[in-house]
Amino acid sequence: MGGNSPCASCKLLRRRCAKDCIFAPYFPSDDPHKFAIVHKVFGASNVSKTLQELPLQQRADAVSSLVYEANARIRDPVYGCVGAISYLQNQVSQLQMQLAVAQAEIVCIQMQQDPIMVAANPQMVLGQADYDDQAFLLQNQCFNFANNNASSSAYVNIHESLKRESIFGDSFLI
């Protein structure tokens, strides 16, 4: 940084740190690992060009993104950040499915205990769920469940009817 202590990039590249070093504000000398990972994945020249093309107020965010992507590429060289995003989307889909199944089970149990009250006020049972699309379906499935006593068949029907397909071809529950 032009003084006594060069920035992390100049230390790693073993060069003199000028006062106008483009890396100095974003890669301080006390965190050399940060620049080492970015340099390994993207290269110092590419990072320098990227930072020079950006307005000053956007550079800190760009460095943060580069560091995040570089760390993701080190962990997963093929997919990087996209792999982490896909994993999290899949986890959200699974949790949504579990929630919908649990809500359907609650409705079925409540309808078995007091079918008249639930049929009269299904919003109370479903809470914040998408009432318009699911209420009729859940009521019919739960009545079938209670009348036929075929728990696995009703469970599968409820589960399958709540599925939607994502843009990635994955199915998820609404």
Side-chain angles (χ1 to χ4, degrees):
M1 200 156 121
N4 297 336
S5 180
C7 67
S9 64
C10 292
K11 272 186 179 179
L12 184 73
L13 300 173
R14 296 184 179 173
R15 64 182 186 193
R16 186 174 173 270
C17 191
K19 287 185 180 183
D20 61 341
C21 178
I22 195 162
F23 296 118
Y26 313 107
F27 299 104
S29 61
D30 61 345
D31 194 7
H33 185 68
K34 184 176 167 181
F35 180 76
I37 290 176
V38 171
H39 174 60
K40 182 177 181 178
V41 173
F42 298 109
S45 177
N46 290 330
V47 174
S48 175
K49 289 176 190 174
T50 301
L51 292 177
Q52 287 173 350
E53 291 174 0
L54 290 173
L56 191 61
Q57 65 271 17
Q58 293 179 350
R59 290 180 182 176
D61 289 336
V63 168
S64 177
S65 295
L66 288 169
V67 170
Y68 185 83
E69 176 65 29
N71 280 318
R73 285 280 168 194
I74 295 295
R75 277 185 263 119
D76 186 355
V78 175
Y79 295 109
C81 289
V82 175
I85 291 168
S86 296
Y87 172 78
L88 292 173
Q89 284 178 334
N90 188 26
Q91 201 171 18
V92 166
S93 295
Q94 289 175 355
L95 291 172
Q96 286 174 333
M97 182 174 31
Q98 290 174 5
L99 177 62
V101 168
Q103 287 173 335
E105 288 174 358
I106 289 170
V107 170
C108 288
I109 291 168
Q110 288 178 342
M111 290 185 80
Q112 286 176 351
Q113 292 174 355
D114 194 2
I116 297 170
M117 183 190 81
V118 175
N121 194 3
Q123 280 181 321
M124 179 183 79
V125 176
L126 293 174
Q128 297 297 322
D130 189 9
Y131 164 73
D132 295 333
D133 292 338
Q134 297 175 4
F136 181 74
L137 172 72
L138 289 174
Q139 287 177 11
N140 287 337
Q141 293 297 333
C142 287
F143 281 125
N144 290 339
F145 174 77
N147 293 337
N148 297 335
N149 201 15
S151 60
S152 62
S153 174
Y155 177 82
V156 169
N157 288 339
I158 291 170
H159 181 269
E160 292 299 319
S161 63
L162 295 176
K163 281 188 176 181
R164 297 286 191 260
E165 194 166 309
S166 74
I167 59 173
F168 298 111
D170 301 334
S171 59
F172 64 94
L173 291 173
I174 55 172

